[in-house]
Amino acid sequence: MKLYIYDHCPFCVRARMIFGLTQTPVELIPLANDDEATPIRFIGAKQVPILQKPDGSYMGESLDIVRHINAQASQPISETIRPSIQAWADKVGEYYNQLLFPRSIQLGLPEFATPSAVVYFIRKKEAQIGTGIAQMLDKTPELLAQIHDDLQTLASQIHANALNGNEISMEDIIIFPMLRNLSMVRDIQFPPIVRDYIANMAERSRVNTYFDRAV
């Protein structure tokens, strides 16, 4: 199987996780961020992740891919998500991309290997947020204060081995990609239990973090 991805994409991380957690072989294929033709040819839309199945057909939508692979696993993960965890993801999801978008293009990721890919990304994300990349960076101090508060809230509900403390679940598929991407923000102070969780889940899911190149 092949999985077409962007490295910085949290939805792609969801799909990558299920392969790592279930020890299912897959070939990761990064796409250029401005490559519209390939994903449209595969699934009719410019989005990733995209799974190419053994029969040559294609599947989009990260959670559909997760559930497809999970259904074939000898030890599938639980579908349970606590309402408080979903609420945390929804709250942080409203603002955290303003920390991530200006930094994603500075990490040397394969999807941004060309100037045209970077320009494409900037134009799309500025239109999405409604403000410029430079202005997003200027908001870093207030965004850091907000994420620090929210990380403390998460710390009271988290366990280092799996989010719910008992077993890998869909909670991990939702939350780890967000935390992993926040590792690209140099000045974030993660509570120790959250930092331990990120390290543990990165190893178990075989997904890299950005601590070594945080901006």
Side-chain angles (χ1 to χ4, degrees), residues 16-73:
R16 291 171 62 185
M17 286 179 73
I18 197 63
F19 286 97
L21 292 169
T22 61
Q23 300 183 36
T24 302
V26 69
E27 179 184 357
L28 300 179
I29 301 179
L31 293 179
N33 196 257
D34 59 342
D35 179 358
E36 296 183 341
T38 299
I40 290 173
R41 185 171 74 252
F42 290 163
I43 60 170
K46 200 275 185 184
Q47 64 183 44
V48 288
I50 300 170
L51 175 65
Q52 185 178 8
K53 301 178 188 177
D55 65 3
S57 64
Y58 295 94
M59 171 183 283
E61 298 296 341
S62 60
L63 293 183
D64 287 349
I65 294 170
V66 169
R67 292 187 172 103
H68 174 73
I69 298 302
N70 195 44
Q72 303 173 43

Side-chain angles (χ1 to χ4, degrees), residues 29-180:
I29 301 179
L31 293 179
N33 196 257
D34 59 342
D35 179 358
E36 296 183 341
T38 299
I40 290 173
R41 185 171 74 252
F42 290 163
I43 60 170
K46 200 275 185 184
Q47 64 183 44
V48 288
I50 300 170
L51 175 65
Q52 185 178 8
K53 301 178 188 177
D55 65 3
S57 64
Y58 295 94
M59 171 183 283
E61 298 296 341
S62 60
L63 293 183
D64 287 349
I65 294 170
V66 169
R67 292 187 172 103
H68 174 73
I69 298 302
N70 195 44
Q72 303 173 43
S74 59
Q75 294 183 308
I77 67 170
S78 167
E79 286 275 347
T80 303
I81 305 175
R82 287 170 285 172
S84 61
I85 295 298
Q86 186 62 62
W88 189 91
D90 293 342
K91 181 176 186 286
V92 174
E94 292 179 356
Y95 70 87
Y96 87 135
N97 279 324
Q98 295 182 71
L99 284 166
L100 304 181
F101 288 161
R103 292 167 171 85
S104 298
I105 54 178
Q106 301 182 53
L107 302 179
L109 303 179
E111 58 263 39
F112 302 126
T114 65
S116 64
V118 174
V119 170
Y120 180 96
F121 178 84
I122 290 173
R123 288 176 177 169
K124 288 284 187 179
K125 300 313 180 184
E126 288 183 339
Q128 176 182 332
I129 299 295
T131 190
I133 290 290
Q135 286 69 43
M136 294 181 210
L137 277 174
D138 289 343
K139 291 180 66 176
T140 293
E142 65 185 86
L143 292 169
L144 284 175
Q146 193 167 1
I147 194 62
H148 284 150
D149 283 346
D150 287 327
L151 287 171
Q152 289 296 335
T153 298
L154 182 65
S156 67
Q157 305 180 65
I158 200 171
H159 299 266
N161 59 332
L163 202 65
N164 65 23
N166 299 314
E167 59 183 354
I168 299 293
S169 71
M170 197 63 72
E171 290 187 357
D172 300 289
I173 298 293
I174 298 299
I175 297 297
F176 171 73
M178 300 177 71
L179 298 175
R180 176 264 193 175

